[in-house]
Amino acid sequence: MHILFGLLSGLVFGVGLVISGMSNPAKVLNFLDVAGTWDPSLAFVMGGASVTTFIGYRLILNRPAPALADVFQMPTAAQIDRPLLVGSALFGIGWGIGGLCPGPAWTALPMMAPGVLIFLPMMLLGLWLGSHLKRQSSGDAAPAAS
């Protein structure tokens, strides 16, 4: 049942990305080009997602437990530390250079655009490299469970 709902959630997210045009790297790059061909549509998509998430969290967190789990799994870290700042800066730089982040990159894969075909393997390599470096810096020998 978890896999089915995960698949359904991912499908809804992906369809939303495609319908909103956010799987097109040019939309993101034009949003970042405030001195040129600025396109504010990304702000409306992110604003709509933020409002939906805000309302959804308020409704769901009033329940005693999630529908498909025994407890809510909420982040416990509350501090802004060096790994958070470095990771978010690298994510933002990559997003700004390529115009893609993980969700839209996967939804753009069927278009077989050369940029996406380069971005996705490099993103996966970066994910692996980042987790490898994080394990080494914390002294863990075993990979973290996903």
Side-chain angles (χ1 to χ4, degrees):
M1 191 62 110
H2 288 99
I3 292 173
L4 178 64
F5 279 102
L7 178 69
L8 183 61
S9 298
L11 183 64
V12 169
F13 180 73
V15 168
L17 286 172
V18 171
I19 289 173
S20 67
M22 294 302 121
S23 60
N24 180 359
K27 292 286 258 181
V28 174
L29 295 174
N30 285 337
F31 174 76
L32 297 173
D33 188 9
V34 292
T37 58
W38 187 62
D39 178 0
S41 60
L42 176 60
F44 289 105
V45 171
M46 294 188 77
S50 296
V51 169
T52 302
T53 300
F54 179 82
I55 293 169
Y57 267 78
R58 296 302 170 273
L59 294 173
I60 297 301
L61 291 179
N62 284 331
R63 298 175 54 133
L68 299 175
D70 295 330
V71 296
F72 287 105
Q73 295 182 5
M74 303 297 287
T76 56
Q79 72 278 9
I80 297 174
D81 57 4
R82 185 172 184 266
L84 175 66
L85 293 174
V86 170
S88 59
L90 289 171
F91 179 88
I93 290 167
W95 193 24
I97 291 171
L100 289 166
C101 63
W106 287 107
T107 62
L109 185 59
M111 294 180 228
M112 301 297 280
V116 174
L117 296 177
I118 293 168
F119 179 87
L120 271 173
M122 293 301 107
M123 177 188 74
L124 295 172
L125 177 62
L127 286 167
W128 176 83
L129 183 60
S131 66
H132 180 72
L133 292 172
K134 190 170 183 175
R135 274 195 315 273
Q136 280 190 335
S137 70
S138 66
D140 292 345
S146 51

